[in-house]
Amino acid sequence: MDNILPVYQHPALTVLVDDSQSFLSSLSFQLAPQFGCKTFGGGDEALQWLRQAEEKRADSDLATIRVNYDEDGDLLERRNVSLYLDRIYRTAMDRQRFDTPAVLVVDYAMPGMNGVELCVLCQDMPIKKILLTGQADEKIAINAFNRKLIDCFISKSDPGAIDFLRAEIPRLQRAFFDERTHTLKDLLARHIFSYLYDPAVGELMEDLRKRYRFVEHYLFPNPPGILFFDERGRATLMVIETAEGLIAHYEIALDQGAPQELLTGLKEFRLVPFFSDTAGTYLKEIGDAWLSYCLPPQMCRGRQTYYWALFDLPAHYLHGNVYSYAEYQLDRQASGTL
């Protein structure tokens, strides 16, 4: 689970539900600023909001994957899947993305609708669920866990409850985004994005997130790689190439009459290119300026060897300004919701 690599992931909301306003305020304060939280004093109000959020989520996912049918026949084999890969990383332009509910933390003992009843009504939603219990509720929680109504549970009186939540919420957020994109991931991994299922790449991703304080990432289609954003919205592209991919770059550059130094570097896997001004490949008009588009590779040895490098992403790829997580937090503070 720790090495899973979702097609994309960004900061998301942790939804807290408890009938005690003082407990909600205390819990939200203790989880901030690591997690964005939205609080509700009862299950009915939370359920209504979650259903509305789920409708928005479904519309967003359908914009990325389309299944088309051959109009000349009724055979199911004649199905075509269209993937709009640019829309994955352009999710970063969506100002509402940080309001996605990913983890539900709900108290069991509430008047009216209890925590398990709320989880039952949320069963068709992808949101991950943590149940808070009292000492007398442990058997109920175990039963709910065995029925897969919740993902884990913890006693509210446990002195380590906050530390548990700080560890579990990131794990469940990764699982949320991985499950949300699993169909897309399965389709992509059949082609040049096989690294999505390579644990070594997942470990490298986590290391880069921590080292450079990246807070969101998105699959990038051309060249293949991962687009990162830090809290301030700065974009960094991790280009990931295989030996086959670098040979393909070499063959195109050879056809275009590229300088010998570039050809040798590509052929010997000593360069990772990002020809950002020419649709990803070398063209003869680049000429001797090729060096500004290339970096020496670092290697990740997993199920195969990957050659990667980090590039600044030119602004023209995004077609606008990125609404950063830092801006989102400031807006929530200004509106009194953080």
Side-chain angles (χ1 to χ4, degrees):
M1 181 66 72
D2 290 339
N3 296 330
I4 63 175
L5 177 53
V7 172
Y8 67 90
Q9 183 176 349
H10 53 70
L13 286 178
T14 298
V15 179
L16 309 177
V17 186
D18 196 295
D19 61 304
S20 170
Q21 185 57 52
S22 60
F23 178 80
L24 278 179
S25 298
S26 175
L27 183 58
S28 180
F29 176 79
Q30 291 180 81
L31 291 178
Q34 185 179 0
F35 306 108
C37 297
K38 187 170 184 65
T39 62
F40 294 95
D44 291 324
E45 183 185 6
L47 180 62
Q48 181 180 358
W49 184 85
L50 286 169
R51 283 176 172 166
Q52 293 173 348
E54 175 62 12
E55 290 178 2
K56 294 179 182 178
R57 181 203 68 82
D59 289 342
S60 175
D61 288 350
L62 287 174
T64 303
I65 305 178
R66 301 286 188 189
V67 180
N68 302 316
Y69 293 88
D70 192 316
E71 296 180 356
D72 296 329
D74 297 325
L75 294 176
L76 293 179
E77 291 81 0
R78 295 183 178 178
R79 290 173 293 183
N80 299 310
V81 178
S82 301
L83 303 178
Y84 299 83
L85 298 187
D86 285 357
R87 293 183 184 176
I88 296 174
Y89 74 85
R90 288 179 185 165
T91 300
M93 310 305 294
D94 181 3
R95 294 176 64 90
Q96 306 302 317
R97 68 192 184 281
F98 302 128
D99 286 327
T100 301
V103 179
L104 172 66
V105 181
V106 56
D107 185 30
Y108 170 70
M110 296 186 295
M113 183 188 300
N114 66 44
V116 172
E117 290 171 337
L118 175 58
C119 290
V120 169
L121 293 172
C122 295
Q123 201 170 1
D124 60 339
M125 302 179 191
I127 192 168
K128 297 300 177 179
K129 308 169 189 71
I130 301 175
L131 186 69
L132 301 178
T133 67
Q135 291 182 351
D137 306 324
E138 185 172 335
K139 289 184 178 180
I140 294 172
I142 292 173
N143 179 264
F145 179 79
N146 290 338
R147 293 166 58 196
K148 298 184 179 180
L149 297 175
I150 60 175
D151 296 281
C152 57
F153 61 90
I154 185 172
S155 171
K156 293 176 73 172
S157 61
D158 187 333
I162 295 298
D163 290 336
F164 174 85
L165 288 173
R166 286 179 178 143
E168 281 298 288
I169 290 173
R171 181 184 73 83
L172 292 177
Q173 284 186 345
R174 287 195 299 274
F176 166 83
F177 280 100
D178 194 60
E179 292 179 14
R180 176 175 176 171
T181 60
H182 70 89
T183 299
L184 180 59
K185 184 174 177 177
D186 285 344
L187 291 169
L188 295 172
R190 299 172 187 270
H191 301 286
I192 61 173
F193 302 102
S194 59
Y195 56 79
L196 289 170
Y197 279 109
D198 196 321
V201 178
E203 290 180 7
L204 174 60
M205 284 275 297
E206 283 303 303
D207 178 65
L208 293 174
R209 288 174 69 95
K210 294 174 183 176
R211 192 189 316 173
Y212 296 104
R213 298 184 179 181
F214 296 136
V215 298
E216 48 186 321
H217 78 261
Y218 304 88
L219 185 82
F220 197 83
N222 183 30
I226 302 292
L227 179 60
F228 292 101
F229 291 92
D230 65 14
E231 189 177 55
R232 300 293 175 184
R234 179 180 177 181
T236 301
L237 177 62
M238 177 188 183
V239 175
I240 304 174
E241 292 284 3
T242 61
E244 292 81 2
L246 291 176
I247 289 298
H249 275 290
Y250 164 80
E251 292 174 347
I252 293 172
L254 181 63
D255 290 341
Q256 291 288 315
Q260 186 59 48
E261 190 176 358
L262 171 59
L263 294 174
T264 301
L266 292 171
K267 190 173 183 178
E268 295 180 355
F269 310 148
R270 292 188 287 105
L271 293 173
V272 170
F274 175 30
F275 298 112
S276 56
D277 295 322
T278 55
T281 58
Y282 179 87
L283 295 180
K284 61 180 64 178
E285 53 262 34
I286 292 177
D288 292 332
W290 63 267
L291 188 58
S292 62
Y293 296 92
C294 297
L295 288 174
Q298 300 188 61
M299 286 189 288
C300 175
R301 301 186 187 278
R303 293 172 179 168
Q304 59 180 309
T305 298
Y306 304 96
Y307 303 85
W308 63 274
L310 298 178
F311 294 83
D312 290 333
L313 186 76
H316 68 262
Y317 275 87
L318 295 174
H319 304 289
N321 295 324
V322 173
Y323 182 58
S324 71
Y325 191 52
E327 291 174 303
Y328 171 77
Q329 289 177 311
L330 288 174
D331 287 345
R332 292 196 78 203
Q333 285 180 335
S335 65
T337 57
L338 184 63

